[in-house]
Amino acid sequence: MVRWLDGESALPPEQERLLRILKLSEEAGEVAQAVIGATGQNPRKGHSHTWDDVHSELCDVILTAMVALRTLTPEARQVFERHLARVAGRVPRSRSGD
């Protein structure tokens, strides 16, 4: 995906990198919009989204974050795995062993 986006971009690499990071804010806003729509909190629009829409928007956030991370470093997988291991190490184990 990063190679495809790089090939389609006419922007200088530094600007493209910054815009890919900013794209996360846009995607997070779409999650918020979907949650508001799924819960019917906008009286003008009512129930305009489903929880499946929320799931889809959350996946878009994850994909966008991974594209941004890979744009910053070719070691994105290793950076993410190390970070995930650190976070997992901070999570208390449940009594049932899960």
Side-chain angles (χ1 to χ4, degrees):
M1 188 177 282
V2 172
R3 279 193 297 267
W4 173 72
L5 289 169
D6 287 345
E8 293 294 314
S9 178
L11 299 173
E14 179 139 333
Q15 187 176 2
E16 185 65 44
R17 184 177 357 174
L18 293 174
L19 290 172
R20 288 183 189 171
I21 294 167
L22 289 175
K23 179 82 172 146
L24 280 167
S25 294
E26 178 189 1
E27 295 297 341
E30 291 177 11
V31 171
Q33 182 180 13
V35 169
I36 289 167
T39 58
Q41 293 304 303
N42 183 336
R44 188 174 51 82
K45 294 183 181 179
H47 288 272
S48 59
H49 292 74
T50 66
W51 286 103
D52 284 341
D53 294 327
V54 175
H55 302 165
S56 178
E57 296 299 345
L58 286 169
C59 289
D60 286 349
V61 169
I62 293 165
L63 286 170
T64 302
M66 289 306 294
V67 166
L69 182 59
R70 177 55 185 84
T71 298
L72 292 174
T73 176
E75 305 297 324
R77 178 186 298 265
Q78 294 85 347
V79 169
F80 182 73
E81 288 173 351
R82 283 192 306 268
H83 185 75
L84 186 58
R86 281 193 305 272
V87 170
R90 294 191 309 245
V91 175
R93 292 174 96 40
S94 70
R95 293 182 188 156
S96 66
D98 294 334

